[in-house]
Amino acid sequence: MDNNLQPAALSAEELRELYRLVTAVRQLDLAAIAWQRQGIIPGYAPELGQEAAQVGSAFAMDPEHDFVFPTYREMGVALTMGVDMTAYMSTHKASWHGGLYNPVQTRLAPIQAVVGGSVLHAVGWAHGQTLAGNPGVALTYFGDGASSQGDVHEAMNFAGVLKAPVIFFVQNNGWAISLPTEAQVAGGTVAARAAGYGMKAITVDGNDAAAVVLATREAAAHARAGHGPVLIEAMTYRRGPHSTSDDPGRYRSLAEERRDEGADPVQLLADRLLADGIADDAFLDTALQDAKTNADAVREGVMALGPRPGREMFDFVFAEPTEALKAQARAWREESEHV
Amino acid sequence: MQAALNRALAETLAEDPRAVVLGEDVGRLGGVFRITDGLQQRFGADRVFDTPLAESGILGMSVGLAMAGFHPIPEVQFDGFAYPAVNQIVTQLARMNYRSRGTMPMPVTLRVPSFGGIRAPEHHGESLEALFAHVPGLKVVSPSSPHEAYHLLKHAAAVPDPVIFMEPKSRYWQKGDVFLDDAGPMEGAKVVRPGKHVTLVAWGAMVARCLSVAELAAEDGIEVEVLDLRWLKPIDAEGLAASVARTRRAVVVHEAPLTSGLGAEVAALITERCFDTLRAPVGRVTGFDVPYPSGDLEDEYIPNIDRILFGIQRVLEYRRG
Ligand SMILES: Cc1ncc(C[n+]2csc(CCOP(=O)(O)OP(=O)(O)O)c2C)c(N)n1
């Protein structure tokens, strides 16, 4: 491996920024679960325990050149990339599949509900950068469950053959709804599969935000230098339910959760900042207050989101709508839109 | 038709720097049907490239290439092998423009060698048009002659939406004139033979067969109008209605199974628009609700001249009960 691809350690300011971000994600995530309980949104996919993996990986990307392909659980990625969080949360409000944010401007593809669905898109996009002579790297997220999908294997093989600049970022949170990794992933780890595709693999502690940044920067440098794709397996733990309609009590006990969950990613970073003298309690307090303020603002935004106008249903089916669809839209307006 | 498609691809690659051709064996081999013959030599392996053998991969990669601003023209080798790609076609390709609120259009032209008639083994001859036409966000077109193949492929490649381009593989070696300067309208259906007693509605390989039927029927004084539907989504309802308004009788002919086939859609469109003028219920002559049979039984399955003539007779002799 090229040693010059090893990224430099993080600066104190970068570490403080990481802390602000993981705290913001933690607070928004907890808030979203509460909104679901309060009936503000119908459902949500929490990420308690995955903040460092998400923030750390997205933090390493170059938003000018790179492009990111999320699943349905990448709120922390979206926040780190500066996506408008009300527009992001609109999907959980059931306003629009994929989110109301602009994916082209934000460099974050629409939210993806098909597990493994966008992994191939990352390969296509990345190969497009090679063809166009651009320096961009694609970062695609998926879980240990999604790693069972044929599309993921096809994507890794395509990327390996084409030496496409892609980072396959696996958040192995131990579970795919009720199925634990050992019943999901033959061979025990997703990272072990990279070798079969001639691909570099990095396993990283997904609770350690700084370690995730460094791993992702290393992977991005490797891919950008034309050495081909990289698989990162970030070991995390999904602390809460899979989604707000899940009941983890049916497949694991509280004792098991306490045994398996490892270090809390937000606390881990706080402890490190304090121990290294990079931050003090006042800084941590401010970060927490800012995070709560932010979550409140997103809550206001989400509450203010009215239902989408029904006619929008017809608007984006085609770039060039068919006459038949235009006729259906006209008929719908006559029959349904009482103005 | 093979040469017409090849020329259309070459011109598209030459005129549109964002066009790329990808698929299994499309590069050095030129595709198993040689539709991409010589393109890699001419345009290089960046523009025309072989992929690993994975159809979902080819379509998923095309989605990503379109996101990066390219105009992918993927090929699946045979119709039956489009099934492994259906997930990416239906859940991703067809919906990305919608999901992204119009910011990520999908100008992808998927070429599918389609239909039977070449005595191929299982999965090498299928009629998938109803499957794709049913999916919101996809457009579906099938050429019936070299002229149509050349112009429709170039047109499809310029459409900013996903187009499933169904090539009638039994017609690949058919010869015919291509009028380069006179494409004619590229949208809608086309009357390929005028007649006044009954409209035969067909597409792809069935158009030529219906023209033969029309020749034979003319010997008995029956003037058959043959309408090449061409676009299976969007269907040209006005063109259909205009033809049937003249002939007042219609038979739709397709290779796909009867049940829930496009014939049902065509019949419904005609009924909605021509109910008062129709002299008989719209007839259907189609394949059967069986898996596409292998070579020896293919002639029993694909609508042949006799079955189409019977179909015409049924609507001509229809009497209100
Ligand atoms: C193709 C597909 N099959 C099934 C589902 C339903 N489903 C949603 S999430 C999920 C588990 C995914 O597990 P994993 O990939 O490990 O991601 P995690 O949710 O744990 O982050 C399932 C089965 C789906 N969304 N997509």
Side-chain angles (χ1 to χ4, degrees):
Chain A
M1 212 207 74
D2 289 4
N3 279 329
N4 58 4
L5 297 182
Q6 292 285 7
L10 290 162
S11 70
E13 186 41 49
E14 284 177 319
L15 285 165
R16 279 192 289 266
E17 180 59 14
L18 270 183
Y19 186 77
R20 285 186 206 105
L21 287 165
V22 291
T23 306
V25 173
R26 168 65 55 88
Q27 292 308 314
L28 186 54
D29 187 58
L30 293 173
I33 298 165
W35 307 340
Q36 192 273 335
R37 306 286 184 245
Q38 296 157 12
I40 297 171
I41 57 176
Y44 178 69
E47 61 183 68
L48 192 69
Q50 298 181 219
E51 298 89 346
Q54 296 200 2
V55 169
S57 50
F59 192 78
M61 299 318 283
D62 168 359
E64 202 181 316
H65 298 112
D66 299 341
F67 211 94
V68 176
F69 296 81
T71 74
Y72 45 82
R73 202 193 293 284
E74 264 66 73
M75 186 275 280
V77 173
L79 188 144
T80 303
M81 294 183 66
V83 172
D84 177 273
M85 293 314 288
T86 300
Y88 177 89
M89 283 291 179
S90 66
T91 285
H92 299 297
K93 178 101 192 288
S95 299
W96 193 264
H97 301 311
L100 290 172
Y101 60 94
N102 181 323
V104 175
Q105 274 164 16
T106 60
R107 315 293 284 180
L108 182 75
I111 293 168
Q112 174 68 244
V114 179
V115 314
S118 56
V119 181
L120 277 162
H121 309 168
V123 177
W125 185 91
H127 188 60
Q129 306 317 295
T130 307
L131 294 180
N134 294 338
V137 169
L139 171 64
T140 175
Y141 291 89
F142 57 98
D144 47 308
S147 79
S148 300
Q149 286 278 334
D151 274 7
V152 171
H153 294 269
E154 293 189 18
M156 290 186 187
N157 188 50
F158 272 52
V161 167
L162 294 164
K163 283 201 172 300
V166 185
I167 302 171
F168 296 96
F169 193 92
V170 185
Q171 289 174 84
N172 186 340
N173 64 15
W175 295 87
I177 309 188
S178 67
L179 205 66
T181 303
E182 56 268 27
Q184 181 76 248
V185 181
T189 75
V190 186
R193 292 176 177 169
Y197 299 110
M199 195 191 307
K200 177 182 166 72
I202 303 173
T203 303
V204 65
D205 177 359
N207 295 329
D208 182 342
V212 176
V213 177
L214 295 182
T216 314
R217 281 186 179 165
E218 183 183 336
H222 179 94
R224 224 183 290 284
H227 299 323
V230 180
L231 188 150
I232 299 177
E233 186 167 13
M235 308 309 290
T236 66
Y237 188 80
R238 168 168 54 73
R239 282 159 171 74
H242 165 82
S243 72
T244 45
S245 50
D246 180 31
D247 173 11
R250 285 172 175 254
Y251 52 82
R252 68 188 187 199
S253 68
L254 281 175
E256 284 165 334
E257 286 184 16
R258 273 193 288 274
R259 185 195 66 206
D260 294 338
E261 69 183 10
D264 175 276
V266 178
Q267 193 57 49
L268 191 70
L269 190 55
D271 291 346
R272 172 168 174 188
L273 291 178
L274 292 174
D276 291 355
I278 290 171
D280 54 17
D281 285 335
F283 169 83
L284 300 185
D285 278 350
T286 308
L288 181 62
Q289 284 319 314
D290 289 350
K292 287 184 169 164
T293 308
N294 175 65
D296 288 345
V298 179
R299 180 184 201 267
E300 294 305 312
V302 169
M303 300 242 297
L305 276 176
R308 302 308 303 169
R311 81 186 86 86
E312 270 197 356
M313 170 166 73
F314 300 96
D315 282 352
F316 305 107
V317 181
F318 292 109
E320 261 175 18
T322 63
E323 290 308 317
L325 191 60
K326 286 189 213 162
Q328 287 176 29
R330 276 194 302 276
W332 172 86
R333 266 201 296 279
E334 274 166 31
E335 292 160 15
S336 323
E337 201 176 54
H338 308 289
V339 277
Chain B
M1 182 177 280
Q2 175 268 349
L5 291 165
N6 181 262
R7 180 172 179 147
L9 286 174
E11 291 180 9
T12 301
L13 285 162
E15 289 159 17
D16 177 358
R18 289 176 295 175
V20 287
V21 167
L22 65 157
E24 293 155 18
D25 308 301
V26 299
R28 263 198 296 183
L29 179 67
V32 293
F33 291 108
R34 307 289 185 272
I35 308 301
T36 57
D37 196 21
L39 297 180
Q40 188 178 69
Q41 286 89 323
R42 205 172 137 193
F43 295 98
D46 274 2
R47 305 284 310 281
V48 180
F49 56 93
D50 290 318
T51 64
L53 207 171
E55 288 73 17
S56 199
I58 293 166
L59 269 296
M61 176 160 187
S62 296
V63 171
L65 281 163
M67 286 171 152
F70 288 85
H71 294 171
I73 310 178
E75 171 183 300
V76 294
Q77 208 154 66
F78 287 91
D79 31 32
F81 309 127
Y83 290 116
V86 164
N87 164 34
Q88 280 290 331
I89 295 171
V90 175
T91 68
Q92 308 299 330
L93 177 64
R95 290 172 181 234
M96 197 55 78
N97 189 64
Y98 197 73
R99 195 181 281 150
S100 70
R101 301 175 63 76
T103 60
M104 292 177 150
M106 290 283 120
V108 176
T109 306
L110 169 60
R111 293 185 34 253
V112 188
S114 293
F115 317 119
I118 63 163
R119 302 201 172 269
E122 190 175 16
H123 303 305
H124 292 69
E126 308 255 319
S127 288
L128 306 180
E129 60 268 44
L131 181 70
F132 290 129
H134 192 61
V135 177
L138 298 180
K139 295 174 177 175
V140 186
V141 64
S142 185
S144 61
S145 68
H147 176 84
E148 297 289 334
Y150 169 79
H151 289 290
L152 282 172
L153 182 52
K154 287 193 74 173
H155 181 76
V159 166
D161 290 304
V163 179
I164 312 295
F165 192 83
M166 301 182 66
E167 298 169 0
K169 63 172 93 77
S170 66
R171 311 293 294 169
Y172 273 151
W173 313 113
Q174 170 210 2
K175 303 254 184 289
D177 293 331
V178 176
F179 303 100
L180 294 176
D181 300 331
D182 181 18
M186 278 298 100
E187 272 149 32
K190 195 166 170 178
V191 175
V192 288
R193 177 185 172 116
K196 62 180 187 210
H197 294 133
V198 58
T199 298
L200 279 185
V201 184
W203 52 89
M206 286 299 99
V207 172
R209 185 152 295 175
C210 288
L211 285 170
S212 307
V213 167
E215 287 288 323
L216 285 172
E219 291 171 15
D220 293 330
I222 301 165
E223 294 180 31
V224 174
E225 176 146 315
V226 180
L227 187 74
D228 179 357
L229 200 57
R230 304 198 299 176
W231 287 90
L232 313 177
K233 167 94 163 276
I235 288 184
D236 176 10
E238 300 314 316
L240 264 180
S243 173
V244 178
R246 287 191 296 272
T247 61
R248 298 188 289 180
R249 291 180 176 85
V251 176
V252 50
V253 179
H254 64 63
E255 295 185 41
L258 175 76
T259 301
S260 300
L262 271 192
E265 181 67 33
V266 169
L269 289 170
I270 293 173
T271 309
E272 281 166 12
R273 284 168 175 75
C274 306
F275 185 74
D276 289 337
T277 42
L278 274 180
R279 290 290 181 86
V282 179
R284 288 186 285 171
V285 180
T286 72
F288 303 106
D289 292 356
V290 302
Y292 219 103
S294 50
D296 275 359
L297 296 173
E298 219 175 37
D299 290 344
E300 308 300 323
Y301 173 88
I302 299 173
N304 57 27
I305 287 179
D306 285 343
R307 286 181 55 212
I308 301 170
L309 282 169
F310 271 118
I312 291 175
Q313 204 179 343
R314 279 195 299 273
V315 300
L316 287 175
E317 292 175 358
Y318 176 80
R319 296 278 171 273
R320 278 170 212 275

